[in-house]
Amino acid sequence: MAISKTVNSKKHQHHQCYISVPSEIINSLSSNSLQSLLLSPKKASKTGAFSRSKLFKNPKTWFLFLFLFGFLFMMKMWYNFDPFSPNPCEITPQKVSSSLIPNEVSDGFIKVEEKEKDVELKGFWKQPDGFGYRPCLDFSEEYRKSSGEILKDRSKYLVVVVSGGMNQQRNQIVDAVVIARILGAALVVPILQVNVIWGDESEFSDIFDVEHFKEALADDVRIISSLPSNHLMSRPVEEKHTPLHVSPQWIRGRYLKRMKREGVLLLRGLDSRLSKDLPSDLQKLRCKVAFHALRFAPPIRELGNKLTERMRSKGPYLALHLRMEKDVWVRTGCLPGLSPEYDKIIQNERKRRPELLTSRSNMTYHERKLAGLCPLTAIEVTRLLKALEVPKDGRIFWAGGNPLGGSEVLSPLMTEFPHFYNKEDLALAGELEPFSKKASIMAAIDYIVSENSDVFMASHGGNMGHAIQGYRAYSGHKKTITPNKRQMLSYFLNTSLHEHEFNKIIRDLHRDSMGQPEIRTSKAGRDVTKFPIPECMRNDSSY
């Protein structure tokens, strides 16, 4: 038999919670005792069915108490559940399956329905020790209390226009939600600016699941599809030039009065505008948006999952995010080293459009290279993977745009690792056709297959690599290799090193760069969606 209690809420659907109790115990209770369990304390006292003294003298009642105590003790032992903890977290598994896929959330983790692996991965595929860290978004009592007033407000509305590639847009959407919370405003579903480089006109609903986005944040920020009719004709307060890394105090001081007066605030270009060091509750909100609310639209998830299954059909796989496109070489101030002709193409483009250069302009190419600021070439990636003992028959998925110089540039990787595929290789005829002119959706498919890999490595930093690194950490610290470019490149240039000695040095340099837990607070300015510990993840020693 199960006893149910209905919880009423004006804003949420009714939910029923069940406590299962063996029928023998229920049958052994008198009708009066059963009634006392179902009635609230106030109603029970009015009925006068029996006094408290009789209740505690009844041995059957003590038996029921002992049963409930034993039930809670088992929950504590099996799931590390403690209802009396000052920092309660969701009940989550102690060990996370390596078959996690982005944005399918269950119990704080992101799962894909797949048979559990009976054999633990070994050798290169062995996963790092996560030290028991698991997701824990325990918002403070103050945060939860203030949510009620924020969600009721109908006077302030935030409109944001996000720009850049898909992963850059994700970062801005995360910060847009946090800014809306800081201002106590409703957020209109973000507008995606047309990408001038790829001509991608995708809207939010083309890439992300809008209804899930709204539902996941229903307790934090009110998300609406469009402005209410009484604000459609109003001229919003527009801010185009928000400084970098501003604080919540700056945002309130700058916008709140004007927003209350005009009702609508329009923000553009949010990339890196909000400080990376925020109060704990707002950091947790960042994690909630990035890891729970921003789920890809169903058609994208479906195709991404299909490609994942095809990659994994014959065992574990490595995902590489290769940054070898023409615009990457231009922006980083580096040279591809393919030939003098290609180097000249990059140099001329950089002179023609100097505003594209994002790296330090006072450094030479060689200085940038030794400082670890340049993407790894195909030859360097191949040597690194061999040194890290990737099996020659290992399956590799590579994500990224077309490299400068064409697919021939990747020949060192394809020669050394013949099982080398991208999404075009894995897709059946016509599967990618609906998205062929949608660069953001193609990037989302790469994201899904890469995030779900057994091992991930990016040849250079960037928004996608950082996003996947954070997601894999939040999913249970799945193996993620971070190339130690600054220290290893001098050994790449040392031609006198024997291969065996070179490989040992490279392995030693990367011993602690395999996705092990890292504490964000060890370095100011780190993004919590890349380093979710300690604000968004806890282990037993954290309490």
Side-chain angles (χ1 to χ4, degrees):
M1 178 176 179
I3 300 173
S4 70
K5 183 177 178 181
T6 302
V7 181
N8 295 318
S9 172
K10 294 181 180 179
K11 294 192 175 190
H12 303 286
Q13 294 180 344
H14 299 330
H15 299 285
Q16 288 189 323
C17 302
Y18 292 87
I19 302 175
S20 296
V21 181
S23 58
E24 293 84 358
I25 295 177
I26 296 298
N27 294 335
S28 68
L29 294 175
S30 65
S31 60
N32 286 338
S33 299
L34 182 58
Q35 184 182 19
S36 72
L37 291 174
L38 296 173
L39 292 175
S40 66
K42 185 176 180 181
K43 290 181 180 179
S45 63
K46 286 183 179 181
T47 59
F50 51 86
S51 65
R52 291 182 182 177
S53 60
K54 289 182 179 180
L55 175 66
F56 287 105
K57 288 180 181 179
N58 191 331
K60 295 173 182 176
T61 303
W62 282 108
F63 181 75
L64 177 60
F65 287 158
L66 288 173
F67 170 78
L68 292 175
F69 178 81
F71 174 76
L72 290 173
F73 179 76
M74 286 189 295
M75 293 290 284
K76 170 68 177 175
M77 295 298 293
W78 291 350
Y79 299 106
N80 196 36
F81 171 67
D82 185 0
F84 310 109
S85 167
N87 297 301
C89 296
E90 296 174 88
I91 301 175
T92 51
Q94 293 284 4
K95 188 173 182 179
V96 185
S97 167
S98 61
S99 59
L100 299 175
I101 221 166
N103 306 311
E104 297 295 337
V105 180
S106 174
D107 292 333
F109 288 97
I110 303 89
K111 299 185 196 175
V112 60
E113 291 183 5
E114 186 178 305
K115 293 181 180 179
E116 291 293 329
K117 295 179 182 177
D118 297 322
V119 181
E120 184 179 355
L121 297 175
K122 297 180 180 179
F124 171 77
W125 308 108
K126 182 177 176 62
Q127 297 297 304
D129 186 348
F131 297 101
Y133 280 101
R134 57 195 181 279
C136 181
L137 302 182
D138 54 332
F139 292 96
S140 69
E141 185 66 25
E142 181 184 357
Y143 179 94
R144 294 195 296 270
K145 284 182 178 179
S146 61
S147 295
E149 292 302 315
I150 289 173
L151 297 173
K152 288 178 185 176
D153 187 276
R154 297 294 185 272
S155 63
K156 302 189 296 295
Y157 297 90
L158 177 63
V159 179
V160 296
V161 179
V162 299
S163 58
M166 188 275 294
N167 292 289
Q168 191 175 359
Q169 290 173 343
R170 281 176 63 99
N171 294 340
Q172 294 173 58
I173 293 167
V174 170
D175 281 357
V177 173
V178 177
I179 291 172
R181 174 76 191 199
I182 291 169
L183 294 170
L187 175 67
V188 180
V189 171
I191 301 165
L192 308 189
Q193 183 173 307
V194 176
N195 194 301
V196 294
I197 297 177
W198 298 291
D200 190 344
E201 298 182 1
S202 297
E203 297 181 358
F204 188 98
S205 59
D206 295 325
I207 302 173
F208 302 108
D209 188 329
V210 178
E211 292 309 310
H212 177 79
F213 183 66
K214 293 178 180 179
E215 292 169 7
L217 298 171
D219 293 329
D220 308 276
V221 174
R222 192 164 70 95
I223 311 290
I224 57 177
S225 296
S226 61
L227 285 171
S229 57
N230 59 323
H231 283 287
L232 287 176
M233 301 303 293
S234 61
R235 185 175 181 178
V237 177
E238 184 172 0
E239 180 69 60
K240 296 181 180 179
H241 305 293
T242 304
L244 295 172
H245 312 303
V246 298
S247 67
Q249 293 77 14
W250 188 95
I251 289 172
R252 293 190 190 99
R254 176 79 173 184
Y255 302 135
L256 202 52
K257 284 186 179 179
R258 290 192 290 167
M259 198 177 196
K260 287 180 178 178
R261 183 176 66 248
E262 303 295 336
V264 182
L265 171 66
L266 172 61
L267 294 179
R268 299 177 184 271
L270 291 180
D271 196 25
S272 298
R273 303 301 167 181
L274 187 59
S275 171
K276 295 293 186 281
D277 299 306
L278 297 176
S280 181
D281 283 324
L282 296 181
Q283 298 287 53
K284 290 178 173 62
L285 181 56
R286 265 183 167 146
C287 291
K288 189 172 184 179
V289 181
F291 303 139
H292 295 271
L294 280 175
R295 185 168 73 181
F296 291 121
I300 299 174
R301 297 205 313 272
E302 181 181 353
L303 182 54
N305 291 353
K306 284 181 180 177
L307 301 189
T308 294
E309 291 168 4
R310 291 167 194 168
M311 274 305 299
R312 181 161 286 134
S313 62
K314 295 182 180 179
Y317 70 94
L318 161 70
L320 291 177
H321 185 213
L322 300 178
R323 305 299 309 281
M324 300 178 187
E325 304 94 321
K326 178 181 176 181
D327 71 293
V328 173
W329 296 115
V330 172
R331 291 175 187 277
T332 57
C334 300
L335 296 175
L338 300 172
S339 68
E341 289 76 17
Y342 281 115
D343 288 351
K344 192 67 175 177
I345 290 173
I346 297 302
Q347 289 169 339
N348 290 339
E349 183 71 12
R350 198 175 296 137
K351 288 177 182 178
R352 190 173 69 86
R353 302 185 65 187
E355 73 277 5
L356 294 179
L357 183 62
T358 56
S359 189
R360 299 173 188 174
S361 58
N362 61 339
M363 296 176 71
T364 66
Y365 156 64
H366 189 69
E367 289 171 335
R368 288 191 182 96
K369 184 78 174 177
L370 291 179
L373 300 176
C374 293
L376 295 176
T377 66
I379 293 175
E380 290 164 344
V381 172
T382 304
R383 292 191 69 191
L384 174 59
L385 295 182
K386 286 180 64 178
L388 295 177
E389 299 180 323
V390 176
K392 189 173 180 64
D393 61 351
R395 295 168 65 79
I396 298 178
F397 173 82
W398 74 272
N402 294 323
L404 179 68
S407 58
E408 295 81 7
V409 172
L410 303 178
S411 59
L413 279 161
M414 291 187 284
T415 301
E416 187 64 34
F417 305 103
H419 302 292
F420 191 75
Y421 312 98
N422 64 1
K423 56 184 175 294
E424 284 79 12
D425 298 321
L426 297 173
L428 302 179
E431 280 186 320
L432 290 174
E433 184 60 30
F435 314 122
S436 60
K437 296 182 180 179
K438 302 283 187 179
S440 293
I441 294 178
M442 297 291 263
I445 294 169
D446 273 346
Y447 184 106
I448 291 174
V449 185
S450 296
E451 198 287 325
N452 197 45
S453 64
D454 298 274
V455 183
F456 173 75
M457 188 184 89
S459 66
H460 191 55
N463 293 306
M464 178 169 165
H466 292 167
I468 291 179
Q469 177 181 334
Y471 219 118
R472 292 172 69 85
Y474 193 77
S475 303
H477 289 96
K478 293 162 35 176
K479 187 170 182 177
T480 304
I481 301 169
T482 303
N484 192 341
K485 292 187 287 185
R486 183 175 297 180
Q487 294 189 42
M488 76 180 187
L489 282 175
S490 59
Y491 296 104
F492 275 74
L493 299 173
N494 187 347
T495 56
S496 64
L497 273 177
H498 189 273
E499 184 178 3
H500 176 75
E501 186 181 0
F502 170 83
N503 292 347
K504 183 179 183 304
I505 291 171
I506 296 302
R507 283 196 297 273
D508 289 341
L509 286 176
H510 291 85
R511 199 172 301 280
D512 297 322
S513 302
M514 297 291 173
Q516 297 94 332
E518 290 188 62
I519 308 299
R520 189 194 76 86
T521 50
S522 63
K523 185 177 180 181
R526 282 184 164 187
D527 191 339
V528 72
T529 61
K530 182 181 178 184
F531 301 98
I533 301 173
E535 288 93 345
C536 303
M537 299 186 78
R538 302 284 182 87
N539 63 8
D540 293 339
S541 63
S542 304
Y543 299 107

